[in-house]
Amino acid sequence: MTAPINFSAESLAQEAMAAQNKLRAGLDTLREVGDIDYGATEREEVWRDGKVVLYRFRGDKAPTAKVPLLIAYALVNRPYMVDLQADKSIVRGLLERGQDVYILDWGYPDRSDRYLELEDYIQRFLGGAVDHLRREYRMDSVNLLGICQGGAFSLCYSALNPGKVRNLITMVTPVDFHTSDNMLSNWTRGLDIDQFVDTLGNVPADVMNWCYLTLKPWRLFVQKYVGLIDILDDKRALEDFLRMEKWIFDSPDQAGEAFRQFIKQFYQGNGFVNGGIDIGGRAVDLGYVQMPVLNIYAEQDHLVPPAASKALADLVGTQDYSELSFKGGHIGIYVSGRAQREVPGAIHDWLSERSR
C-alpha cells in the first residue's frame, strides 16, 4: 500500500541502499582523483606591479583581432573562473574566435597592502596594465572587459580615462547598488565600515565567503552537498565539483582601505547613481563613458540583480549602448554549457562590428 505522499517502506529501503552503494563507490572514486588543476589555457606573464600580474593567453592559433582585450575580474575571487577548465572557459571561446586576450590577476593582498586605496587598484594597477598594452601595440586605446566588481572598476577607469578605452564590456556588473532586490547591499548599508576595517585591518577571505554563502544557505550549505552523493561514482563529475569548490574557497583577503572606500562610496553611497565616487581626488561621472558599451547581465543573478546592472543605460554618455541578457546566474554565466555557446560569440561579434 502506498502512502498519500507516494513513498513506501520498500521504496525508502531501495533509496537507502542506492545511497550506500554511491557512498561505497565514492571511496574508490576519491582514490582516483588527484590534485585538481584549474586553468585550461596556456598563459604568460607580460607585466607586473608588485603582486598584480598581467597575463596574456595563448590559444591554438594566432589572434586575428588587432586590438587586445583586457579582462578585469573582481577582487573577492580568483580570476581563473573565466578559464576554469577546457569545456568551461570563456577565455578559450574568445581565443577560438580570434580575440587577443589578457587578464589582470590582483594577487593575494597581505598586511603590507593594508593601505592600498581604490586609486591604486583603478589608476595604478588597471591603468598600468592598460598603458602597457597601449605601448606594446602602439595604439591609443584598448578593449576592456570588466566582470562584477572588476566591471565597476572598469567603469571608473573608463570615465576617468575615456581616451584609453576603445570599447567597454561590463559583465554582471553592479551599477545601482540600492535596488530593492539586492540582499547583499541591504546588509552592507547597515555596516559600521569604519569600525569593521579599523578592527580587522585587511578583511579576511573567510568573512567574505561566509557572507556570500549565507545569501543562499539552503542551496550552498546543504543542497549541493546532498546532491554530491549522486555523482560520487562519476570521476569526471566529481573533479568538476571539486574544482568549483576550490575556486569558491580560494579567495584573497581584501585590502582594508580599498574595501572601506568601496563599501562607503558604492554600496552605502550608491555613487554611480547619486554621485560621490572619488578616485584619487577625481570625481567619477559615467557621463564621460562615451565609448561603445556592451552590458551583459544574468537574469537569475542573486549577487547582482538585473535591475542593478541595467541601470547603466541611463547613466553612460555613449550613444552606442547595447545590453545582453543571459538566462542563468552569477556563476553560470562563466561555466554553464549555455554560456560557452552564447557569451564568447556575443562578445566577439559585438567587438567585430566596431572594428570595421
Side-chain angles (χ1 to χ4, degrees), residues 18-268:
Q20 289 180 20
N21 291 335
K22 287 279 189 179
L23 291 169
R24 190 177 300 112
L27 295 175
D28 295 329
T29 307
L30 286 169
R31 292 190 188 99
E32 298 174 7
V33 174
D35 291 336
I36 302 300
D37 296 324
Y38 54 81
T41 309
E42 180 184 353
R43 65 181 189 175
E44 64 175 334
E45 178 181 329
V46 297
W47 175 84
R48 174 184 289 267
D49 184 343
K51 299 179 180 68
V52 179
V53 182
L54 177 65
Y55 292 99
R56 186 184 190 186
F57 288 104
R58 295 291 189 182
D60 296 331
K61 57 184 180 181
T64 56
K66 302 302 182 184
V67 181
L69 174 63
L70 171 59
I71 300 175
Y73 201 75
L75 300 178
V76 295
N77 288 111
R78 302 288 292 141
Y80 58 80
M81 173 53 69
V82 297
D83 186 44
L84 191 63
Q85 59 192 61
D87 59 343
K88 297 179 180 180
S89 173
I90 297 296
V91 166
R92 177 162 290 196
L94 290 168
L95 292 172
E96 289 173 350
R97 291 165 173 82
Q99 292 297 320
D100 192 1
V101 185
Y102 292 77
I103 196 165
L104 199 57
D105 187 333
W106 305 108
Y108 294 87
D110 58 28
R111 284 183 294 177
S112 67
D113 302 306
R114 161 71 172 79
Y115 293 101
L116 286 177
E117 299 186 350
L118 289 182
E119 181 184 15
D120 293 299
Y121 283 101
I122 293 170
Q123 296 286 60
R124 174 183 163 189
F125 299 138
L126 178 55
V130 169
D131 287 342
H132 170 81
L133 294 176
R134 292 171 61 238
R135 289 192 300 269
E136 288 295 305
Y137 287 80
R138 298 182 180 179
M139 56 181 55
D140 294 331
S141 56
V142 301
N143 295 328
L144 184 56
L145 166 57
I147 299 175
C148 191
Q149 184 188 31
F153 285 1
S154 297
L155 284 168
C156 291
Y157 182 80
S158 299
L160 296 173
N161 308 274
K164 297 182 179 183
V165 180
R166 185 167 304 191
N167 297 291
L168 174 63
I169 304 162
T170 53
M171 182 185 293
V172 290
T173 294
V175 176
D176 184 349
F177 287 77
H178 286 185
T179 57
S180 60
D181 55 352
N182 192 330
M183 186 183 299
L184 186 60
S185 175
N186 286 327
W187 285 1
T188 308
R189 275 182 260 169
L191 177 66
D192 185 340
I193 187 61
D194 289 324
Q195 183 175 6
F196 189 78
V197 172
D198 291 344
T199 300
L200 294 175
N202 286 348
V203 180
D206 288 345
V207 173
M208 299 297 295
N209 274 333
W210 179 261
C211 291
Y212 293 127
L213 293 173
T214 52
L215 290 173
K216 284 190 170 183
W218 169 253
R219 171 72 183 90
L220 299 176
F221 281 117
V222 179
Q223 188 179 28
K224 73 173 181 177
Y225 295 114
V226 172
L228 175 61
I229 296 174
D230 291 331
I231 62 170
L232 283 177
D233 57 351
D234 184 333
K235 182 174 181 287
R236 180 173 178 178
L238 184 58
E239 287 176 340
D240 290 353
F241 179 90
L242 293 174
R243 188 174 290 108
M244 181 65 72
E245 288 293 284
K246 183 173 183 176
W247 175 80
I248 289 172
F249 294 102
D250 180 16
S251 300
D253 295 342
Q254 300 296 293
E257 209 57 37
F259 185 83
R260 185 202 311 266
Q261 293 174 343
F262 192 73
I263 296 300
K264 279 189 171 182
Q265 297 186 32
F266 292 79
Y267 274 100
Q268 295 180 342

